[in-house]
Amino acid sequence: ETERTLAMIKPDGLSGNYTEKIKVAILDYGFHIVKETEVQLDDERASLFYAEHSGRSFFGSLIKYITSGPVLAMVLERPDAIAQWRALIGPTDARKAKTSHPNSIRAMCGLDSEKNCVHGSDSPESAAREISFFFGD
Ligand code: CMP
């Protein structure tokens, strides 16, 4: 059954000119890119997007990273989109991705557990919230 998820190319992905390569990987994997928007998040919007991580030690660093340049948010659609996008991007830690998931997007353009190039919603609830965060209802 068709499903939608929120994908985001982070500032390191955009500044490293990985957008086109990532889009090719997305389309090759059978996704349809339904909507996209490039935006510069400020501290307040970034903190809202990542509110669930606000108690973590890396939160300040995460907000600095995600506001360091524009991000590209996309709504992706295909059957089982949430799980399939997370499979395509690979593990959070891009160093792990490079060894255990060499064909993943994070292996291609990520650096470590913070600068991991892309984001994907982790549940239907997150997908709904994150899609309306960027695109409204
Ligand atoms: P993302 O999938 O967007 O979800 C939360 C983000 O926090 C994650 O990708 C990373 O960018 C960042 N993150 C997660 N774990 C760590 C960590 N241990 N240290 C620094 N940043 C992290």
Side-chain angles (χ1 to χ4, degrees):
E1 188 187 340
T2 195
E3 185 176 65
R4 289 182 174 190
T5 192
L6 188 282
M8 177 171 70
I9 305 180
K10 300 184 179 184
D12 53 331
L14 289 185
S15 66
N17 286 113
Y18 287 107
T19 303
E20 285 314 309
K21 274 188 179 171
I22 293 170
K23 285 187 175 178
V24 167
I26 286 171
L27 298 174
D28 282 352
Y29 219 70
F31 290 100
H32 173 51
I33 302 174
V34 180
K35 301 176 190 178
E36 61 176 85
T37 184
E38 188 178 314
V39 292
Q40 171 69 53
L41 297 173
D42 61 17
D43 281 23
E44 191 179 311
R45 290 275 292 158
S47 299
L48 189 58
F49 184 79
Y50 280 125
E52 66 178 293
H53 299 298
S54 63
R56 308 293 293 275
S57 58
F58 58 78
F59 187 68
S61 177
L62 170 60
I63 298 308
K64 201 171 194 178
Y65 159 50
I66 213 69
T67 59
S68 65
V71 300
L72 181 69
M74 293 173 282
V75 176
L76 304 185
E77 188 173 81
R78 61 154 284 169
D80 199 24
I82 296 167
Q84 293 299 319
W85 174 239
R86 286 177 72 85
L88 178 57
I89 66 181
T92 300
D93 187 344
R95 288 166 301 197
K96 228 176 259 172
K98 287 174 202 293
T99 56
S100 61
H101 299 71
N103 297 319
S104 67
I105 290 174
R106 284 170 169 159
M108 168 175 70
C109 59
L111 187 68
D112 55 27
S113 58
E114 178 180 77
K115 294 183 176 60
N116 58 5
C117 187
V118 287
H119 168 81
S121 309
D122 63 4
S123 67
E125 295 71 27
S126 310
R129 184 184 73 80
E130 293 174 358
I131 289 169
S132 59
F133 178 91
F134 283 106
F135 299 97
D137 294 311

